[in-house]
Amino acid sequence: MFHTGLRTPGAVRTEESAAGTDLYFQRCAWCHTTTFQRLLCPTCGSTDLSPQLSEGEGVITVRRAHTAADADLWPVHMAEGFVVRCRVDGPPHAVRPGVRVKLASAADTGRRPVVRLCEEVPLDGWI
């Protein structure tokens, strides 16, 4: 069962948390590894994964091989320790590894989460 953009009973929402910006990840009850949308823990293989609400902050990481269809997706290492591929909302020159991002909208059915740049990235003369 995946929990992306869904509210769980008892989830606390802050005033700055708007509808549709909740991102849930999973934490293994045995080894405490965090993961995103898995059936088994990638470390110990346990099925005892509990959904938890992400803070929504992370850093863009290095993109390995990608297809033309996935050209606008970037891996984002979230503060809780899991990695999720996201669409990045920002100027193309600023989207690169090491830039801090914050969740703009959570994934709907069949869609990827959207993140926004946290700080302004200056032009570096390449454009």
Side-chain angles (χ1 to χ4, degrees), residues 13-48:
R13 295 176 59 92
T14 62
E15 291 178 16
E16 67 183 41
S17 175
T21 59
D22 291 343
L23 180 68
Y24 286 87
F25 65 98
Q26 299 156 303
R27 185 177 304 273
C28 178
W30 293 94
C31 68
H32 305 289
T33 298
T34 57
T35 188
F36 185 70
Q37 294 187 347
R38 298 278 180 106
L39 294 175
L40 300 174
C41 172
T43 303
C44 70
S46 171
T47 58
D48 194 3

Side-chain angles (χ1 to χ4, degrees), residues 59-65 74-76 83 96-98:
V59 176
I60 297 175
T61 59
V62 176
R63 183 166 49 177
R64 304 286 182 220
W74 285 84
V76 176
V83 176
R96 55 184 166 208

Side-chain angles (χ1 to χ4, degrees), residues 3 15 58 70:
H3 296 278
E15 291 178 16
D70 293 339

